[in-house]
Amino acid sequence: MMTKFLPLGLAATLLASTQAADSATRSVTSRLMVHIPHSLFRDQGYEHREALFGTPPYGGSIAQTLYYADSELCDNVDPTKGFPTREGNTPWQAPFILMVDRGGCTFVKKVRNAQRAGAAGVIIADNVCLCTDPECKNEFSTTCETSEPIMADDGSGSDISIPSFLIFKRDADLIKTELKNNSPVQLEMSWSLPSPDDTVEYDLWTVPTDPLSKTFMQNFRPLANALGTHAQFTPHMYIYDGQRTHCIGNDGANYCYTLCTNNGRYCATDPDNDLDKGISGADVVKESLRRICIWKYYGEEDGVGDPWWAYVSEFTARCDTPEYFMHDDCINDAYQHAGIDADAISKCMRDSGGTEGDNDNSYLKMAISSQSERGVVVLPSAFVNNAAIRGKLSSSSIFHAICAGFAEGTEPDICNSCGRCPDAIGCVNSGVCAGTPYNPAARGAGGSTPAGTVSTHTFAFWMLFVVAAFGGVGYWHYNKTREDMR
């Protein structure tokens, strides 16, 4: 049974991956510009593909010197090599953007090695021409690609904090030629979110058993309340389409065992990979439907949904074990502590079609349609103003992206006081930013002060200190000279 479900599900996943990448390209406004030399400058920038991992500084940019590693960067990194060459083979001087060749290992491994070497951003130079580009020249292959590859996460990219782009081969060759001639190249990577008005919409696609989402949903509640109706949230539960993956056989039987509800129509992966015991995929679908109903009753109208956040937090703390995941007493306890009307939610689940019969469920069916239209496949997936948010899901990263999504001058007060604070939760709870606020327009890594440089405030402070020190020494020297003259 599983041997039939998984390959078909994988095919659907690959199709959805392409849709998700195309959708993200249309939604996220990222730009790649070459400022130096002027001969490589283009008004509209260079066409590129954005990685599905790493954390871009939304609302900001990274403009730095570009080095070419002249390597695939899959093994040990030697920062004394590459182009332009430096006198005495000095290492790449931080902050910098690093260009590396495609191939040899995953995109994640390349970017991780560049991050460890001190890069603020990474440009992957494609090594295969597009079939639609007749002027491109393949040095090592006679084949071409029908489309650029997706810079997907290999499953280990949660530690990547710097952004990366993939640039087409013909453009990459032009830039590499300039660098190999030992000419300086300054490149800018920038990101912006659509900012239509004074309200930001943000969405999260997840499942109740996703570990990253659990942490996020337990922590984000005070931020959601602080943003209030200025930010409209919509949670989405990811449901696998059992009909599309042939979990319903020609004889009408459920071929996917405990992975699905409604006789194979709505499915989820088994969180503990044991079809005979523990939490089943069908259990995940049922809890997903419950959360859909709670949001419809307690969050859909105001877009904040504090009782929904409270329920998710209470459920995770009390019921998130194989013994209690579907235990009625535990769920009712979570209802009670979150202020949820249990009867109303049970009625909602039944009226939508339930999960036990051989019939459709209107809410689960809508969930599948919604994720298909958006092209979501990577979980968890967050969007702000319809723009996909890259990198590890965290309360601070989503809060910063939301604050960057308001039209200029319409930001709520909480964004002005905490929107640039590294610890957004601590700032919202205390009203004071304990860390150094980052500048989204900074010309360094991730919008912060670049490694190897100092901030404006630090520079000003030390300049005043030096002036005062020299003034003091000068005054002492003046008095001493007068004493000597006497």
Side-chain angles (χ1 to χ4, degrees):
M1 289 179 290
M2 285 296 292
T3 56
K4 178 171 289 189
F5 178 77
L6 288 178
L8 289 167
L10 179 59
T13 297
L14 291 175
L15 173 62
S17 294
T18 304
Q19 294 171 339
D22 291 343
S23 174
T25 301
R26 291 192 297 269
S27 300
V28 178
T29 306
S30 60
R31 177 174 286 194
L32 179 61
M33 302 287 292
V34 175
H35 295 299
I36 299 174
H38 187 70
S39 60
L40 294 181
F41 176 81
R42 295 179 185 175
D43 287 336
Q44 300 303 315
Y46 285 77
E47 195 172 354
H48 61 281
R49 294 290 179 267
E50 190 174 352
L52 301 183
F53 54 89
T55 307
Y58 293 105
S61 64
I62 300 173
Q64 296 295 344
T65 298
L66 179 68
Y67 291 110
Y68 171 46
D70 195 21
S71 164
E72 294 176 344
L73 220 68
C74 294
D75 299 314
N76 295 329
V77 180
D78 187 351
T80 64
K81 293 184 178 179
F83 299 95
T85 58
R86 283 85 61 206
E87 186 176 355
N89 291 328
T90 57
W92 303 316
Q93 185 176 359
F96 61 89
I97 298 172
L98 191 63
M99 176 180 277
V100 302
D101 292 324
R102 178 188 171 192
C105 58
T106 65
F107 293 122
V108 169
K109 187 171 184 179
K110 294 174 186 292
V111 177
R112 179 183 291 113
N113 285 337
Q115 178 175 292
R116 289 172 177 170
V122 176
I123 304 298
I124 306 291
D126 202 355
N127 54 6
V128 180
C129 292
L130 287 174
C131 299
T132 55
D133 187 357
E135 297 182 21
C136 182
K137 296 180 180 179
N138 276 325
E139 292 90 348
F140 307 108
S141 173
T142 57
T143 61
C144 61
E145 293 178 316
T146 56
S147 63
E148 283 293 334
I150 299 169
M151 290 186 68
D153 192 339
D154 64 4
S156 68
S158 60
D159 62 324
I160 305 298
S161 60
I162 63 173
S164 53
F165 293 160
L166 183 139
I167 189 172
F168 298 174
K169 184 179 185 301
R170 182 152 65 101
D171 294 335
D173 288 346
L174 292 174
I175 297 173
K176 283 195 284 188
T177 297
E178 198 73 24
L179 291 166
K180 286 183 175 181
N181 288 334
N182 290 322
S183 300
V185 174
Q186 186 182 61
L187 186 145
E188 180 179 19
M189 307 165 73
S190 60
W191 298 261
S192 63
L193 289 171
S195 304
D197 50 34
D198 60 354
T199 301
V200 169
E201 297 176 354
Y202 65 113
D203 303 71
L204 175 66
W205 265 267
T206 185
V207 291
T209 51
D210 176 67
L212 284 176
S213 299
K214 291 178 192 177
T215 302
F216 170 79
M217 290 187 289
Q218 282 184 299
N219 294 338
F220 198 78
R221 182 184 177 189
L223 302 183
N225 285 319
L227 289 163
T229 56
H230 295 285
Q232 297 287 297
F233 177 54
T234 305
H236 303 268
M237 297 295 111
Y238 192 92
I239 307 295
Y240 286 94
D241 187 344
Q243 291 178 309
R244 184 179 179 184
T245 51
H246 300 278
C247 284
I248 302 177
N250 293 329
D251 57 357
N254 176 8
Y255 279 10
C256 293
Y257 194 36
T258 59
L259 294 175
C260 306
T261 66
N262 303 78
N263 197 39
R265 286 174 173 80
Y266 311 109
C267 310
T269 56
D270 191 303
D272 45 27
N273 297 314
D274 190 331
L275 299 182
D276 297 314
K277 60 183 179 180
I279 302 171
S280 69
D283 293 339
V284 175
V285 174
K286 292 173 186 176
E287 178 59 24
S288 296
L289 177 60
R290 191 188 326 278
R291 296 187 184 189
I292 291 171
C293 282
I294 292 173
W295 180 258
K296 288 194 172 293
Y297 267 79
Y298 293 97
E300 195 169 62
E301 185 175 347
D302 69 357
V304 179
D306 182 64
W308 183 89
W309 293 100
Y311 168 78
V312 171
S313 182
E314 293 291 343
F315 179 90
T316 303
R318 300 170 186 276
C319 311
D320 192 27
T321 63
E323 293 78 16
Y324 293 105
F325 196 87
M326 283 286 110
H327 199 289
D328 289 340
D329 290 342
C330 189
I331 292 169
N332 286 328
D333 195 32
Y335 280 156
Q336 183 177 355
H337 282 84
I340 301 294
D341 185 339
D343 291 336
I345 302 308
S346 295
K347 184 177 185 302
C348 171
M349 294 175 70
R350 288 194 307 271
D351 291 350
S352 65
T355 57
E356 303 299 332
D358 184 8
N359 57 271
D360 288 338
N361 181 290
S362 58
Y363 289 157
L364 296 177
K365 193 172 183 178
M366 281 192 291
I368 291 174
S369 176
S370 176
Q371 69 203 28
S372 177
E373 289 174 6
R374 181 56 64 89
V376 172
V377 61
V378 178
L379 297 179
S381 284
F383 293 78
V384 173
N385 285 349
N386 293 320
I389 304 302
R390 307 298 185 203
K392 183 178 179 180
L393 179 70
S394 72
S395 296
S396 290
S397 65
I398 298 300
F399 184 73
H400 295 156
I402 291 171
C403 288
F406 289 99
E408 187 175 356
T410 68
E411 306 89 346
D413 291 341
I414 194 64
C415 284
N416 293 327
S417 56
C418 298
R420 298 180 181 181
C421 188
D423 180 13
I425 296 175
C427 181
V428 168
N429 289 335
S430 66
V432 178
C433 182
T436 302
Y438 80 94
N439 179 4
R443 299 297 198 182
S448 60
T449 303
T453 66
V454 295
S455 69
T456 303
H457 292 296
T458 304
F459 178 78
F461 170 80
W462 281 107
M463 283 298 295
L464 289 172
F465 177 82
V466 170
V467 169
F470 274 100
V473 171
Y475 182 74
W476 172 80
H477 182 72
Y478 170 78
N479 287 334
K480 185 176 186 303
T481 302
R482 288 177 62 85
E483 288 289 337
D484 291 342
M485 289 176 66
R486 290 193 189 102

